[in-house]
Amino acid sequence: MDKRSIGVFDSGVGGISVLNRLLKLLPNENYIYIGDTARMPYGIRSEENIKKISSDCIEFISKENLKAAVIACNTVSSVAVDHLRDKFDFPIIEVVTPGTVDATEVTKNKKIALIATDVTVNSGVYEKYIGMRDPQIEVRSLACPKLVLTIEAGHALDEIGAEIIEDYLKFFDDFDYDTLVFACTHFPLARKNFKDIYERQNKEVFLVDPAYNTALELEKTLKNLDAFNENNQGKVVFYTTSDPNRFRQLAIKYCRLSPDKISPVTVDLEKALRKK
Ligand code: DGL
């Protein structure tokens, strides 16, 4: 029995799509979620800057003596995970490898469309790992920064979101793909809009959310460490680096927890880390 919490980190509310999977698979665990909403979007920042600011977030939540942390952000997973693993001594689980495993297994015609941030697309990590698993698979990637901001503004499931998604998907019109990878954690929050668009277009596309395999990866890690928190009513502590009310409204919209369990607290990272 290990009561220590699991850290979950994203630039904003997108990581809630991963948190939802974790809560479903491992409901007894305690989680500390931090969304760095003051500094998002991460997807247009430099690699060096992403390393620094993601490290600040993990450092802040690590004061709680974590047993593991999940980087619920593809952008950070793409360019900063080695840096974070070097810096912290608890297991750090990322989302890219789990996503590539799923995508490779699911595609039948070996054509995968991928949507992500600029940083993730430019890093080429998905292409690299998918290519290592199956060199015959063709991947076409598109950065969708406007969709990140739209979802962060609360429009994942409405008409505003749908229009932006439909527009971005046109990029793949001449690509006969059977699989779409949500290589940004914000995008699964808009899953219903994607499904409806494909249905209207009469198109069958597998939607790959790396969160599924990421949750299994965490389960494996806890099993190896014999660190499950059995017989416990798990809870989530939420931190945001900007307005807590705004974060709460969005979390209520996107998170599977009931609203009474969502009470985000604002943290000023500079101050909090200076004090340590
Ligand atoms: N949700 C993040 C990801 O998975 C990034 C969004 C952003 O801050 O640009 O890549």
Side-chain angles (χ1 to χ4, degrees), residues 10-11 40-43 73-75 117 120 148 183-186:
D10 182 51
S11 60
M40 80 87 57
Y42 276 26
C73 175
N74 287 265
T75 305
T117 64
T120 302
V148 173
C184 169
T185 52
H186 282 71

Side-chain angles (χ1 to χ4, degrees), residues 16-68:
I16 288 177
S17 66
V18 179
L19 179 68
N20 283 338
R21 291 307 306 171
L22 303 180
L23 288 168
K24 187 143 193 219
L25 188 70
L26 300 163
N28 297 333
E29 299 299 330
N30 296 316
Y31 299 93
I32 301 179
Y33 183 99
I34 181 161
D36 192 6
T37 40
R39 296 185 284 190
M40 80 87 57
Y42 276 26
I44 49 169
R45 289 175 176 269
S46 71
E47 197 172 312
E48 277 321 298
N49 187 239
I50 291 168
K51 283 180 184 161
K52 155 91 180 73
I53 61 180
S54 58
S55 168
D56 285 352
C57 290
I58 303 293
E59 190 173 338
F60 172 70
I61 53 174
S62 70
K63 70 179 167 58
E64 295 293 335
N65 189 16
L66 303 176
K67 59 181 169 185

Side-chain angles (χ1 to χ4, degrees), residues 32-232:
I32 301 179
Y33 183 99
I34 181 161
D36 192 6
T37 40
R39 296 185 284 190
M40 80 87 57
Y42 276 26
I44 49 169
R45 289 175 176 269
S46 71
E47 197 172 312
E48 277 321 298
N49 187 239
I50 291 168
K51 283 180 184 161
K52 155 91 180 73
I53 61 180
S54 58
S55 168
D56 285 352
C57 290
I58 303 293
E59 190 173 338
F60 172 70
I61 53 174
S62 70
K63 70 179 167 58
E64 295 293 335
N65 189 16
L66 303 176
K67 59 181 169 185
V70 177
I71 308 299
C73 175
N74 287 265
T75 305
V76 175
S77 297
S78 295
V79 298
V81 76
D82 291 341
H83 173 76
L84 297 173
R85 283 181 174 148
D86 281 349
K87 195 157 170 190
F88 299 99
D89 56 7
F90 40 81
I92 291 189
I93 289 140
E94 45 88 38
V95 286
V96 171
T97 321
T100 57
V101 171
D102 219 1
T104 315
E105 280 167 7
V106 144
T107 181
K108 295 211 166 51
N109 76 353
K110 297 189 188 285
K111 284 198 163 101
I112 296 177
L114 184 143
I115 49 173
T117 64
D118 290 274
V119 168
T120 302
V121 169
N122 294 337
S123 76
V125 279
Y126 267 94
E127 286 83 349
K128 184 172 150 199
Y129 292 148
I130 289 172
M132 277 160 59
R133 299 183 68 82
D134 185 343
Q136 286 179 338
I137 292 179
E138 195 183 334
V139 183
R140 187 186 283 192
S141 306
L142 177 68
C144 306
K146 207 167 148 194
L147 185 56
V148 173
L149 296 178
T150 306
I151 292 170
E152 193 75 21
H155 297 295
L157 296 167
D158 63 20
E159 266 303 302
I160 298 174
E163 257 178 51
I164 288 167
I165 292 167
E166 205 157 4
D167 213 41
Y168 273 130
L169 290 179
K170 286 187 187 137
F171 174 76
F172 300 107
D173 274 355
D174 62 340
F175 184 57
D176 177 31
Y177 62 106
D178 69 353
T179 301
L180 177 80
V181 183
F182 292 133
C184 169
T185 52
H186 282 71
F187 302 161
L189 298 172
R191 189 186 189 96
K192 168 109 180 39
N193 257 335
F194 281 90
K195 272 187 75 181
D196 290 350
I197 290 166
Y198 284 131
E199 237 167 70
R200 273 204 305 278
Q201 295 176 346
N202 224 347
K203 234 173 142 152
E204 215 178 295
V205 176
F206 300 106
L207 300 176
V208 170
D209 177 0
Y212 286 73
N213 271 348
T214 303
L216 292 174
E217 220 26 70
L218 175 64
E219 186 184 42
K220 224 189 285 170
T221 304
L222 297 183
K223 192 169 177 206
N224 288 341
L225 297 171
D226 194 15
F228 287 116
N229 195 8
E230 284 132 352
N231 313 320
N232 170 63

